[in-house]
Amino acid sequence: MRYHFRPAPLSSVIRRLGTIQFDPLAPVGTNPDLVLQARVPGYRQGDWSNEGQTPILA
């Protein structure tokens, strides 16, 4: 798969973006899933939810 962005781990993409819009309606996928699938190799639907519950120490 070809990406428009440099592949990076999920936690660093979320940290770099700062926020991701949450939309509970998902006819093709939620906004976080669509954004992260385009940027994170091997990303699976819902991975952001699990990652988002892991505390990040700044």
Side-chain angles (χ1 to χ4, degrees):
M1 180 177 276
R2 186 169 169 217
Y3 292 93
H4 295 284
F5 301 91
R6 188 173 55 244
L10 179 59
S11 59
S12 46
V13 171
I14 290 175
R15 192 173 21 259
R16 185 176 69 237
L17 292 174
T19 61
I20 297 176
Q21 175 185 335
F22 175 71
D23 183 357
L25 302 177
V28 257
T30 63
N31 186 62
D33 287 324
L34 297 174
V35 167
L36 295 169
Q37 282 174 340
R39 291 170 171 81
V40 180
Y43 178 85
R44 291 184 322 254
Q45 187 174 6
D47 281 353
W48 71 271
S49 179
N50 298 330
E51 188 78 26
Q53 295 176 15
T54 304
I56 298 174
L57 302 176

